[in-house]
């Protein structure tokens, strides 16, 4: 999987690209509009992460060029402006997703995987982790090939965990992934705990192991290590 | 008082005073002239009588026009004019004014006392006719002058009020300069030029501030993103629980900073009306949806939501802002609630009422919507400021009432 990261901020570029490398992507970077334009015209990419505000041009124009050339890449706009107009017009032009700074790498990862799924497997897309398999289109969780009843939030929660396995996820990160930041209810993370417990119970009932670990003081971690 | 009214009022008062003085003076002068005329006539007549007597004619007394009496030589009289009233024997016996002249003359050795009178009735009538004519002309001229003055003032100030309307309607949001109508009056044009210059200057400053706010927010978000991501990466390392706690709490603070920054930017954006595509949003439906989302989040605190629909509430607003409006109102109702409390949402025709149970606070309708006003440390104090800003820019009146419940009432004011 080849990713092009178009981002002018050096710190962010380094962190994101090294994270993506660790996640098994081939990541190339472009720090300016012109460099990005050159790379896009020479090499194919699966995903382009596109910062809107670049020193020598507007990411939106780049997006128009990519879409005009009918390139196959999935595009995620990264914007520091939480400008909803930008978001709407970006998605209208043909971006697949829109993520606002600041974001967590786990969230970016989940978004990239979702866009990849939509672009590459049109139909049966499954995520497997040991005895757990997730049918993303059908929204079905199977433990040892037996489906379990799950709510939408439980499904999203488990998928987010599996996509970010062996990674500590704070309650804030999880809450933002599940509910967005629509509600200013930061004082209350009990609902995550409730969803988690239900999920654990359902998995256990079908003979699955509990891969969700509490990490004291931080949050949760999914994995078998 | 309006300038035009002041000028017109003073003009009318001045005209009235001038009118009274002028007509009084005209009347007085006219009267003097007429009396002089009568006196001259009487003196002419006396000369005629004396001449007739000297030439030997006999003159008879013709009361009251002329009286001839022979008097002693010692009789003397001060020859003077007096105004007398004499009963008219031939008419209805009414007293009529006469001008009387008494003189003693010596004709052919005889001493005559000569009394000549002229009726003033016809002169009084003449005086009256002339006065009426004069006053009519004068008042017509005065009225015409006042009317013309009114019209002139109105047309001159019309140009001014038209431009004033343009200035009133001017909004920085249109981001183009003000255009005023050219007037025929030099001073008004001067004022217009000054206003145009001033607004252009302000417009430049305003754009600069807007740009600054946006750019500052943009520049803040990237370092904040780096900090948050780095902190998250630190959490992935093997660290002591104490260190983990420090990192998480730092993360939370940075997140707060980021949210604060975002909300301030949002406020600016609403103020600048940077949200396009306005549609008519049915708030009843939207609220139902939002409450369903919220119910899941607040289950653990056992907060009851009650929605009553007794009417429809539509707002012409962009869907994004409608979302934020309801989110913030509901978040507020939940955040300042206690476990087991209630949020009551009532819809009437064009009215939305959101009430919640909660602890008493020191806030009033006047202060609750201010920025950074908060009753607990968990909130930013911006949620309701954003709500107010949205209401203000979309023709909605919002008020806060506190009895045993905390209630926010939104209603269409239909004025923007």
């Amino acid at each position: 999987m080849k990713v092009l990261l178009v981002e002018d901020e050096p710190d962010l570029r380094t962190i994101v690209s090294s994270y993506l490398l660790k996640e098994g992507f081939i990541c190339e970077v472009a720090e300016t509009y012109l460099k990005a334009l050159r790379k896009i015209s020479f090499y194919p990419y699966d995903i382009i992460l596109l910062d809107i505000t670049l020193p020598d041009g507007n990411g939106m124009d780049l997006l128009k060029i990519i879409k005009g050339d009918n390139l196959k890449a999935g595009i995620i706009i990264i914007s520091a402006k939480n400008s909803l107009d930008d978001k709407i017009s970006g998605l209208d032009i043909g971006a697949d997703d829109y993520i606002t700074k600041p974001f967590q790498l786990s969230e970016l990862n989940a978004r990239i995987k979702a866009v990849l799924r939509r672009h590459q497997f049109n139909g049966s897309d499954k995520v497997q982790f040991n005895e757990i398999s997730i049918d993303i289109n059908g929204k079905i969780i199977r433990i040892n090939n037996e489906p379990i009843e799950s709510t939408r939030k439980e499904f999203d929660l488990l998928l987010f965990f599996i996509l970010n396995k062996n990674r500590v996820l704070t309650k804030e990160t999880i809450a933002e992934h599940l509910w967005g930041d629509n509600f200013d209810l930061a004082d209350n993370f009990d609902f995550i705990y409730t969803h988690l417990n239900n999920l654990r119970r359902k998995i256990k009932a079908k003979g699955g192991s509990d891969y969700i670990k509490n990490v004291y003081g931080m949050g949760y971690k999914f994995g078998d290590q | 008082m309006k300038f035009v009214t002041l000028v017109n009022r003073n003009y009318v008062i001045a005209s009235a005073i001038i009118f009274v003085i002028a007509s009084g003076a005209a009347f007085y002068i006219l009267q003097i002239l007429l009396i002089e005329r009568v006196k001259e006539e009487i003196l002419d007549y006396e000369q005629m009588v004396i001449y007739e007597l000297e030439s030997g004619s006999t003159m008879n007394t013709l009361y009251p026009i002329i009286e001839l009496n022979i008097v002693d030589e010692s009789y003397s009289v001060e020859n003077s004019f007096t105004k007398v009233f004499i009963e008219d024997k031939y008419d209805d016996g009414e007293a009529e004014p006469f001008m009387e002249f008494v003189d003693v003359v010596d004709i052919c050795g005889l001493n005559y006392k000569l009394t000549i009178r002229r009726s003033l009735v016809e002169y009084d009538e003449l005086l009256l006719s002339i006065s009426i004519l004069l006053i009519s002309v004068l008042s017509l001229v005065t009225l015409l002058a006042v009317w013309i003055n009114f019209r002139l003032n109105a047309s001159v100030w019309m140009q001014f009020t038209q431009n004033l309307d343009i200035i009133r309607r001017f909004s920085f949001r249109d981001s183009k300069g003000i255009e005023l109508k050219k007037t025929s009056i030099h001073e008004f044009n001067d004022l217009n030029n000054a206003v145009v210059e001033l607004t252009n200057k302000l417009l430049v400053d305003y754009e600069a501030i807007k740009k600054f706010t946006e750019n500052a927010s943009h520049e803040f978000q990237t370092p904040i993103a780096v900090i948050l991501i780095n902190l998250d990466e630190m959490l992935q390392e093997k660290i002591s629980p104490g260190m983990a706690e420090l990192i998480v709490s730092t993360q939370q603070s940075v997140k707060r900073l980021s949210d604060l920054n975002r909300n301030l930017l949002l406020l600016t954006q609403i103020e600048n009306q940077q949200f396009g595509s306005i549609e008519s949003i049915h708030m009843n439906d939207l609220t139902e949806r939002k409450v369903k989302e919220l119910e899941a989040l607040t289950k653990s605190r056992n907060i009851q939501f009650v929605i009553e629909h007794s009417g429809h509430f539509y707002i012409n607003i962009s869907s994004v802002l409608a979302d934020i409006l309801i989110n913030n109102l509901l978040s507020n109702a939940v955040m300042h609630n206690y476990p087991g409390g209630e949020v009551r949402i009532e819809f009437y025709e064009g009215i939305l009422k959101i009430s919640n149970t909660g602890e008493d606070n020191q806030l009033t309708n006047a202060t609750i919507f201010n920025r950074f006003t908060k009753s607990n440390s968990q909130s930013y104090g911006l949620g309701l400021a954003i709500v107010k800003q949205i209401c203000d820019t979309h023709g909605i009146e919002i008020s806060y009432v506190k009895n045993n419940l905390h209630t926010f009432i939104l209603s269409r004011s239909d004025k923007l």
Side-chain angles (χ1 to χ4, degrees):
Chain A
M1 290 293 141
K2 225 170 147 188
V3 178
L4 176 65
L5 171 64
V6 186
E7 167 66 60
D8 61 317
E9 184 67 33
D11 287 346
L12 203 58
R13 214 164 49 226
T14 317
I15 303 167
V16 173
S17 63
S18 66
Y19 170 77
L20 291 175
L21 280 172
K22 221 164 51 189
E23 284 291 310
F25 291 98
I26 301 161
C27 184
E28 293 191 6
V29 293
E31 51 271 69
T32 62
Y33 176 88
L34 281 178
K35 279 187 184 166
L37 194 60
R38 211 173 306 143
K39 290 213 157 164
I40 289 164
S41 27
F42 284 116
Y43 312 106
Y45 293 95
D46 298 296
I47 293 280
I48 299 172
L49 303 176
L50 190 58
D51 189 357
I52 295 263
T53 29
L54 294 168
D56 56 343
N58 190 327
M60 284 291 187
D61 297 332
L62 215 51
L63 178 60
K64 280 178 203 155
I65 292 169
I66 297 166
K67 283 292 146 186
D69 289 354
N70 249 332
L71 298 176
K72 283 247 160 54
I75 295 160
I76 299 175
I77 293 173
I78 299 175
S79 174
K81 292 182 192 167
N82 185 28
S83 156
L84 293 139
D85 284 347
D86 270 4
K87 181 172 180 172
I88 291 162
S89 60
L91 296 180
D92 272 353
I93 295 172
D96 296 274
D97 207 345
Y98 185 101
I99 191 167
T100 314
K101 289 178 194 171
F103 53 83
Q104 287 299 356
L105 293 174
S106 41
E107 182 63 34
L108 182 66
N109 181 33
R111 304 274 189 115
I112 291 175
K113 299 253 166 83
V115 170
L116 278 177
R117 266 200 310 275
R118 257 181 279 155
H119 272 255
Q120 294 183 335
F121 325 91
N122 296 315
S124 70
D125 49 333
K126 288 205 166 54
V127 176
Q128 187 81 35
F129 183 82
N130 295 348
E131 69 270 31
I132 304 170
S133 95
I134 297 184
D135 173 356
I136 292 165
N137 276 1
K139 304 270 175 232
I140 299 165
I141 302 171
R142 287 189 178 82
I143 311 293
N144 297 320
N145 284 326
E146 264 197 78
I148 62 166
E149 291 275 329
S150 65
T151 63
R152 177 69 198 269
K153 291 291 172 210
E154 285 160 12
F155 178 88
D156 289 346
L157 188 59
L158 187 61
L159 181 61
F160 191 55
F161 270 126
I162 291 184
L163 290 178
N164 291 295
K165 55 181 173 271
N166 298 325
R167 208 180 149 78
V168 176
L169 301 174
T170 61
K171 289 171 187 171
E172 286 86 354
T173 307
I174 298 168
E176 213 172 301
H177 177 74
L178 292 185
W179 284 280
D181 44 10
N182 281 347
F183 297 103
D184 281 335
L185 297 171
D187 60 325
N188 189 350
F189 289 112
D190 296 346
F191 54 89
I192 296 177
Y193 183 73
T194 314
H195 284 300
L196 265 178
N197 272 359
N198 290 340
L199 194 60
R200 277 171 169 153
R201 196 167 36 78
K202 287 172 182 174
I203 294 172
K204 264 187 198 160
K206 298 283 177 192
S209 336
D210 184 10
Y211 296 110
I212 305 167
K213 296 175 186 69
N214 285 353
V215 184
Y216 178 75
M218 297 194 259
Y220 303 96
K221 187 171 175 176
F222 184 92
D224 51 2
Q225 294 164 7
Chain B
M1 186 186 282
K2 269 177 143 184
F3 179 83
V4 178
T5 320
L6 181 75
V7 167
N8 283 342
R9 196 189 65 172
N10 290 349
Y11 186 79
V12 168
I13 290 171
S15 305
I17 291 169
I18 291 168
F19 173 78
V20 168
I21 291 171
S23 32
F27 183 81
Y28 182 70
I29 291 165
L30 202 64
Q31 201 178 26
I32 289 171
L33 286 176
L34 287 174
I35 295 290
E36 282 308 310
R37 182 77 208 283
V38 172
K39 287 176 181 168
E40 261 171 47
E41 251 175 63
I42 290 175
L43 290 177
D44 283 352
Y45 192 69
E46 188 194 14
Q47 292 306 312
M48 231 164 74
V49 168
I50 292 168
Y51 177 81
E52 287 297 322
L53 286 175
E54 278 174 344
S55 60
S57 305
T58 47
M59 295 275 318
N60 285 328
T61 293
L62 182 63
Y63 183 83
I65 304 301
I66 183 157
E67 277 177 76
L68 274 173
N69 297 0
I70 295 168
V71 290
D72 289 341
E73 274 180 38
S74 59
Y75 188 88
S76 79
V77 73
E78 204 180 318
N79 55 340
S80 64
F81 291 96
T82 38
K83 199 174 177 184
V84 293
F85 286 87
I86 293 166
E87 271 179 33
D88 189 356
K89 292 193 278 204
Y90 314 108
D91 207 1
D92 48 6
E94 238 181 81
E96 284 182 355
F98 280 83
M99 185 58 80
E100 186 185 74
F101 180 69
V102 184
D103 200 5
V104 177
V105 284
D106 178 14
I107 301 162
C108 309
L110 280 172
N111 225 12
Y112 288 94
K113 179 189 169 204
L114 200 62
T115 308
I116 301 168
R117 297 191 187 91
R118 271 279 175 277
S119 170
L120 287 175
V121 170
E122 53 185 297
Y123 287 104
D124 277 356
E125 276 169 5
L126 188 66
L127 183 68
L128 197 66
S129 309
I130 293 174
S131 297
I132 286 170
L133 189 70
L134 202 70
I135 287 167
S136 310
V137 170
L138 256 176
S139 44
L140 194 68
V141 167
T142 310
L143 282 175
L144 264 173
V146 167
W147 182 74
I148 288 168
N149 189 45
F150 261 85
R151 294 297 302 262
L152 265 176
N153 269 335
S155 78
V156 165
W157 286 98
M158 174 108 111
Q159 307 173 14
F160 180 80
T161 46
Q162 273 176 350
N163 278 330
L164 198 63
D165 273 348
I166 296 175
I167 294 171
R168 280 214 188 93
R169 279 199 303 270
F170 175 73
S171 156
F172 284 115
R173 288 171 194 140
D174 302 339
S175 71
K176 50 174 190 283
I178 195 163
E179 273 176 38
L180 296 175
K181 283 193 183 136
K182 205 165 170 59
T183 70
S184 51
I185 291 144
H186 181 73
E187 285 82 354
F188 287 173
N189 285 337
D190 272 356
L191 181 66
N192 286 357
N193 290 340
V195 167
V196 168
E197 260 175 51
L198 181 69
T199 46
N200 284 344
K201 261 188 233 157
L202 287 174
L203 214 55
V204 170
D205 287 351
Y206 178 76
E207 286 297 322
I209 289 169
K210 226 164 70 173
K211 266 263 124 53
F212 171 79
T213 317
E214 276 189 45
N215 291 346
S217 158
H218 172 216
E219 295 304 323
F220 283 149
Q221 293 299 62
T222 307
I224 285 171
V226 173
I227 295 169
L228 279 176
I229 291 174
N230 281 341
L231 287 171
D232 209 51
E233 288 304 291
M234 285 159 90
L235 284 181
Q236 310 307 327
E237 305 296 324
K238 285 214 174 324
I239 46 171
S240 67
M243 182 60 77
E245 228 166 277
L246 274 180
I247 293 173
V248 168
S249 107
T250 311
Q251 237 180 0
Q252 283 164 353
S253 293
V254 176
K255 188 75 176 55
R256 261 177 82 87
L257 187 66
S258 159
D259 287 349
L260 203 61
N261 186 39
R262 219 188 40 220
N263 279 328
L264 278 173
L265 180 66
L266 181 64
L267 265 173
T268 320
Q269 286 175 325
I270 299 167
E271 211 169 338
N272 298 346
Q273 299 206 327
Q274 284 171 347
F275 293 91
S277 61
I278 283 173
E279 46 195 306
S280 181
I281 303 262
H282 191 222
M283 300 306 280
N284 303 56
D285 289 350
L286 180 65
T287 309
E288 285 275 358
R289 278 207 307 279
K290 291 284 158 193
V291 165
K292 280 210 182 75
E293 279 179 47
L294 248 183
E295 266 172 338
L297 299 183
T298 53
K299 218 174 252 170
S300 61
R301 291 175 65 195
N302 198 23
I303 289 172
Q304 294 295 313
F305 287 88
V306 182
I307 310 187
E308 279 173 24
H309 299 278
S310 315
H312 299 279
F313 188 39
Y314 286 93
I315 304 180
N316 290 326
I317 191 171
S318 91
S319 57
V320 174
L321 286 186
D323 251 48
I324 294 170
L325 179 69
I326 291 297
N327 279 345
N328 285 7
L329 281 170
L330 291 177
S331 300
N332 182 72
V334 169
M335 192 149 41
H336 301 289
N337 224 316
Y338 40 71
E342 187 184 76
V343 176
R344 174 174 288 273
I345 301 155
E346 295 162 74
F347 281 100
Y348 302 97
E349 206 57 44
I351 292 171
L352 163 60
K353 273 169 91 170
I354 297 184
S355 322
N356 64 279
T357 49
E359 304 299 331
D360 196 12
N361 59 39
Q362 297 300 312
L363 300 173
T364 66
N365 186 40
T367 59
I368 198 163
F369 299 111
N370 291 345
R371 291 177 190 193
F372 303 113
T373 300
K374 45 192 177 181
S375 62
N376 69 39
S377 56
Q378 260 152 6
S379 65
Y380 301 113
L382 283 176
L384 288 177
I386 290 171
V387 165
K388 179 86 165 92
Q389 187 71 261
I390 294 175
C391 288
D392 284 352
T393 46
H394 291 82
I396 299 159
E397 270 174 29
I398 184 165
S399 55
Y400 167 64
V401 184
K402 181 170 55 181
N403 25 50
N404 44 3
L405 293 174
H406 302 268
T407 307
F408 290 90
I409 303 164
L410 280 76
S411 63
R412 302 263 303 261
S413 71
D414 290 317
K415 60 168 194 275
L416 249 172

